[in-house]
Amino acid sequence: MIWNYFLIAAGVSSASWILSALIPKKDIIRNLLVLTGILSMAVYIAFLWSSLERPPLRTLGETRLWYSLFISIIGLITYFRWRYLWMLYYCLFMSLLFLFINYLHPENFSKTLMPALQSPWFVPHVVVYIISYAFLAASTLVAVYGLYQVKREKFEAKYMQVADNLVYLGFAFLTFGLLFGALWAKEAWGHYWTWDPKETWAFITWMGYLVYIHRRYQKPGKYVSALWILALAFVILLVCWFGVNYLPSAQFSVHTYSMQP
């Protein structure tokens, strides 16, 4: 039954977001369609939370639902702020992609929540990380587009301002994610930090974006190197989010709960 509701919610969101790109010529119609898709996902996540009697953040499939929601919200916010329509469409495309991945990999939703996840730090830790990933993914698109513009010799400095703002926001949430995770680990396992593979790659990811921030501060006119750092930092982020789960050293990690069906 829960899966059937996912199909309905995903269908409404997908149809709304696709129509927002194909049909309307006026901003108000486009924005209403985007908001309809966002509300559809938000309602479904709230329903899922209520039905499971736990935060729907245990598996990769459940986190993809949140990512789909947050990145579409961020796309709309950045469009309101900077009027970049291509950024909005990119964010909607990524949201649709994550919904499609969930469609291809149906979830076996369970109310079971392992003891370590029954912590007040669980929800803020995971949610702020998902928000940070959404902001940083958007900044990566700016980096890729900027490198493309550099190659065409049509680069404009305004792209760096957008990238900077997205990275600052994403990095702030990333920092909170690390701090909340340390507090959660202390409560669950008695240690703030154990250099678990997931923790190690989370720290490497944090350092990657810190390198970008320092590069922009020290060499504000060096656009190309900063854009490459930003693009490579997102590759590290993807390793942290998905790749670590497949490393041999992570098979007995306390973070492998996210791979449970």
Side-chain angles (χ1 to χ4, degrees):
M1 181 61 69
I2 293 178
W3 179 249
N4 291 336
Y5 283 125
F6 165 74
L7 295 177
I8 295 173
V12 171
S13 295
S14 299
S16 298
W17 290 335
I18 292 172
L19 287 174
S20 71
L22 297 178
I23 292 180
K25 299 298 182 182
K26 294 184 178 180
D27 279 359
I28 187 170
I29 301 176
R30 178 192 303 115
N31 295 341
L32 286 174
L33 286 169
V34 173
L35 282 172
T36 299
I38 290 173
L39 288 174
S40 176
M41 287 309 305
V43 169
Y44 175 70
I45 290 174
F47 163 77
L48 191 60
W49 195 324
S50 176
S51 299
L52 296 177
E53 299 176 359
R54 65 166 178 81
L57 294 162
R58 184 172 67 94
T59 67
L60 282 176
E62 291 171 3
T63 59
R64 282 193 292 263
L65 292 174
W66 287 91
Y67 193 85
S68 179
L69 172 66
F70 284 131
I71 199 170
S72 57
I73 293 174
I74 288 170
L76 192 59
I77 290 174
T78 53
Y79 174 66
F80 283 150
R81 176 62 180 83
W82 293 293
R83 313 307 293 180
Y84 287 153
L85 191 57
W86 57 271
M87 176 68 77
L88 173 62
Y89 288 154
Y90 157 76
C91 290
L92 295 181
F93 170 77
M94 291 301 299
S95 296
L96 288 169
L97 178 61
F98 278 92
L99 290 181
F100 184 65
I101 293 173
N102 272 15
Y103 172 75
L104 294 178
H105 299 86
E107 288 277 293
N108 294 318
F109 296 104
S110 170
K111 293 185 178 182
T112 304
L113 202 61
M114 62 185 293
L117 303 185
Q118 298 174 15
S119 165
W121 292 109
F122 172 45
V123 173
H125 169 69
V126 179
V127 168
V128 296
Y129 256 120
I130 294 174
I131 295 174
S132 75
Y133 287 0
F135 274 115
L136 296 174
S139 72
T140 304
L141 177 68
V142 178
V144 173
Y145 186 74
L147 289 170
Y148 172 71
Q149 293 294 74
V150 167
K151 186 176 181 180
R152 297 181 60 195
E153 299 182 351
K154 294 184 178 180
F155 182 79
E156 298 179 40
K158 64 181 181 181
Y159 296 127
M160 295 308 304
Q161 182 181 3
V162 177
D164 289 345
N165 290 333
L166 291 171
V167 170
Y168 294 154
L169 288 169
F171 185 76
F173 281 104
L174 201 65
T175 302
F176 280 118
L178 279 175
L179 294 175
F180 292 163
L183 293 171
W184 176 15
K186 177 64 175 179
E187 178 185 281
W189 301 289
H191 301 282
Y192 289 108
W193 197 271
T194 60
W195 294 105
D196 173 271
K198 193 80 169 184
E199 294 173 347
T200 302
W201 278 94
F203 179 70
I204 294 173
T205 302
W206 186 84
M207 287 296 297
Y209 285 99
L210 186 62
V211 168
Y212 169 83
I213 292 172
H214 276 276
R215 181 63 176 177
R216 290 289 296 135
Y217 179 77
Q218 295 291 337
K219 303 287 185 179
K222 301 292 185 179
Y223 299 141
V224 177
S225 59
L227 292 171
W228 276 112
I229 292 172
L230 187 53
L232 292 174
F234 189 68
V235 174
I236 298 174
L237 185 153
L238 291 177
V239 173
C240 177
W241 189 7
F242 296 112
V244 171
N245 295 303
Y246 300 100
L247 295 177
S249 60
Q251 296 311 303
F252 300 100
S253 167
V254 295
H255 291 88
T256 54
Y257 67 87
S258 61
M259 295 298 292
Q260 296 175 9

